[in-house]
Amino acid sequence: MPKAKETVLEIDLKALKHNFEYLKSKLKSNTKILAVVKAFAYGSDANVIAKYLQDLEVDYFAVAYVNEGVALRDAGITTPILVLHPQAVNFKTLIARCLEPSLYNAKVLNEFIAIASEEHQTNYPVHIKFNTGLNRLGFWENDVDYIVSKLENTSSIKVKSLFSHLAASEDLNEKEFTETQIKSFKSIAKDFSKTIGYQPMLHLTNTSGIINYPEAHLDMVRTGIGLYGFGNSEKENKHLKPVATLKSIISQIHKIEKGESVGYNRSYISSGFEKTATIPIGHADGIGRHYGHEKGFVIINGKKAPIIGNVCMDMIMVNISHIECQEGDEVIIFGKQSDASKFAQTANTISYEIITAISQRVKRIILK
Ligand SMILES: *Cc1c(COP(=O)(O)O)cnc(C)c1O
């Protein structure tokens, strides 16, 4: 890997391939894989990741919003794309770009049917989402008759899949709850298929569900975080490889005396003679202020350097008193040797949040 000369996010496609194949090895050969590439493919680069996965013959993509799906179509992605949380204002665009909506309540179902028929569609593929306990989005179990009655009155749309989302698939203390969700989804699916007279595809699990609940793989699984290298547990993280490495350099080194302060509001005071390094990455790049005050750390020449004082918009300062280093040396914020879930833990958050937070200002470098 090349040494950084500025702040960069390296995207390792070999790691992505490894993770894809590892997750696939957990599935039966006929189980389909949907790759979740919302939020710029979890902060990496959605176009690059989706093209690569399309070449690996992934079955489906999912994004959260219509504009994310439009960007993928603009980039030449032809694989089906499920839009998990579309808004009615974008339904015409969604249809124009062959994106497939998740319909999760009566309002969006009726709005979508109206627009699909206005646009002269027949059997436009839609996905019906059921709430089985997350209480976020989704129809309820007793909405089946209502949905089917609406569908029987239109030829504009056709249900391609039924799905639900697990609330705590990574937490084995919640096994009982998860098993109830699985049972409840299977029962809704059976009821729905019987009432409508055909069998849509079924999908339920996210990454941790793939790992912990093989009985819930059904026709397709949806994986996001696993593709990017995290399995929500120490044990699973070992089998996966982080795709993104966030690197920077030392811009300047300062030597300060006891009692001197560092950064805005003088929130760090040196307790003796110390060396500090200034690094060109700040909260505008995604390193939030909660990583300051010696909570977060970076790696310089293999050693941990704590972030001192307040995180600035474009910079952080770290303590390098104990590290042999020079201006221009490489700095690792997270990557393979010190991964994003460890970095995130220092600020009481999770891998998902830190990797999706890396802003578009940070240059992406693709390693093939
Ligand atoms: C984001 C998302 C996923 C992906 O979850 P991971 O834990 O990242 O695998 C799957 N399904 C839905 C509905 C989501 O919103």
Side-chain angles (χ1 to χ4, degrees):
M1 274 174 220
K3 288 265 179 215
K5 294 189 172 62
E6 62 182 327
T7 301
V8 294
L9 189 73
E10 280 179 3
I11 314 294
D12 179 356
L13 295 177
K14 276 206 195 100
L16 177 66
K17 184 167 189 217
H18 167 89
N19 299 334
F20 180 75
E21 281 167 1
Y22 175 74
L23 293 161
K24 202 170 170 179
S25 75
K26 300 263 169 196
L27 307 175
K28 291 203 195 84
S29 62
N30 59 350
T31 307
K32 291 187 162 67
I33 303 184
L34 174 154
V36 182
V37 291
K38 61 193 179 190
F40 302 102
Y42 287 45
S44 58
D45 183 321
N47 293 347
V48 170
I49 297 278
K51 273 190 198 142
Y52 192 77
L53 291 171
Q54 181 166 272
D55 289 344
L56 293 177
E57 299 185 336
V58 72
D59 299 285
Y60 245 92
F61 288 114
V63 292
Y65 303 121
V66 170
N67 64 348
E68 297 178 301
V70 168
L72 291 178
R73 289 285 184 246
D74 285 344
I77 297 298
T78 54
T79 303
I81 301 173
L82 163 59
V83 182
L84 294 165
H85 195 177
Q87 279 78 47
V89 64
N90 301 313
F91 281 165
K92 279 192 180 158
T93 311
L94 176 144
I95 292 172
R97 305 312 300 272
C98 296
L99 305 169
E100 302 176 8
S102 157
L103 302 177
Y104 54 85
N105 66 6
K107 186 169 186 288
V108 293
L109 173 66
N110 292 321
E111 284 168 333
F112 193 74
I113 290 173
I115 290 181
S117 50
E118 203 181 302
E119 297 285 306
H120 310 293
Q121 299 296 316
T122 40
N123 292 336
Y124 195 90
V126 303
H127 304 260
I128 305 290
K129 177 145 198 206
F130 285 95
N131 172 32
T132 53
L134 182 59
N135 292 329
R136 190 172 73 175
L137 289 179
F139 283 102
W140 289 79
E141 184 161 13
N142 55 15
D143 291 326
V144 169
D145 288 343
Y146 173 81
I147 303 166
V148 172
S149 73
K150 286 286 166 184
L151 291 166
E152 280 170 350
N153 275 318
T154 177
S155 56
S156 304
I157 67 172
K158 179 157 186 186
V159 179
K160 193 151 166 197
S161 86
L162 306 178
F163 74 112
S164 185
H165 196 32
L166 299 173
S169 58
E170 75 279 20
D171 184 356
L172 293 175
N173 295 319
E174 294 289 359
K175 202 164 191 258
E176 214 176 301
F177 182 87
T178 304
E179 281 166 353
T180 308
Q181 278 196 280
I182 296 169
K183 232 174 96 190
S184 151
F185 179 65
K186 284 181 176 170
S187 137
I188 293 168
K190 206 168 149 194
D191 185 22
F192 190 99
S193 306
K194 206 174 112 207
T195 315
I196 200 154
Y198 60 88
Q199 175 71 68
M201 201 165 56
L202 307 179
H203 47 111
L204 177 60
T205 59
N206 63 345
T207 300
S208 293
I210 294 174
I211 293 163
N212 294 328
Y213 298 94
E215 74 275 24
H217 290 175
L218 309 174
D219 300 315
M220 182 161 79
V221 295
R222 304 186 302 271
T223 176
I225 199 77
L227 289 173
Y228 308 104
F230 300 93
N232 295 328
S233 76
E234 288 278 333
K235 183 173 155 260
E236 285 304 325
N237 286 350
K238 284 200 186 81
H239 296 291
L240 296 162
K241 294 183 182 170
V243 165
T245 297
L246 183 59
K247 289 177 165 181
S248 190
I249 57 164
I250 298 178
S251 297
Q252 191 174 9
I253 291 177
H254 288 287
K255 295 180 173 134
I256 57 173
E257 300 294 339
K258 180 176 174 168
E260 283 197 70
S261 64
V262 178
Y264 285 130
N265 309 107
R266 308 193 63 214
S267 67
Y268 179 80
I269 305 285
S270 162
S271 54
F273 174 77
E274 286 179 357
K275 265 191 328 175
T276 71
T278 302
I279 299 163
I281 189 167
H283 62 72
D285 302 289
I287 309 300
R289 280 169 59 97
H290 38 285
Y291 289 96
H293 307 290
E294 294 161 273
K295 293 207 173 70
F297 60 86
V298 301
I299 307 283
I300 298 172
N301 295 333
K303 296 209 166 101
K304 280 187 185 183
I307 301 170
I308 55 178
N310 283 316
V311 170
C312 312
M313 189 184 294
D314 314 309
M315 281 166 264
I316 52 174
M317 280 73 89
V318 301
N319 191 338
I320 51 160
S321 301
H322 55 298
I323 304 176
E324 284 288 328
C325 56
Q326 290 175 357
E327 291 172 349
D329 279 1
E330 186 175 79
V331 175
I332 308 282
I333 294 96
F334 58 71
K336 292 189 174 61
Q337 39 175 297
S338 178
D339 76 42
S341 69
K342 291 204 185 79
F343 186 73
Q345 265 168 30
T346 64
N348 265 324
T349 180
I350 55 174
S351 59
Y352 294 79
E353 188 181 49
I354 184 65
I355 64 175
T356 58
I358 304 311
S359 77
Q360 295 300 303
R361 182 165 78 171
V362 176
K363 184 173 169 185
R364 270 66 175 163
I365 292 185
I366 311 303
L367 305 180
K368 303 228 159 94

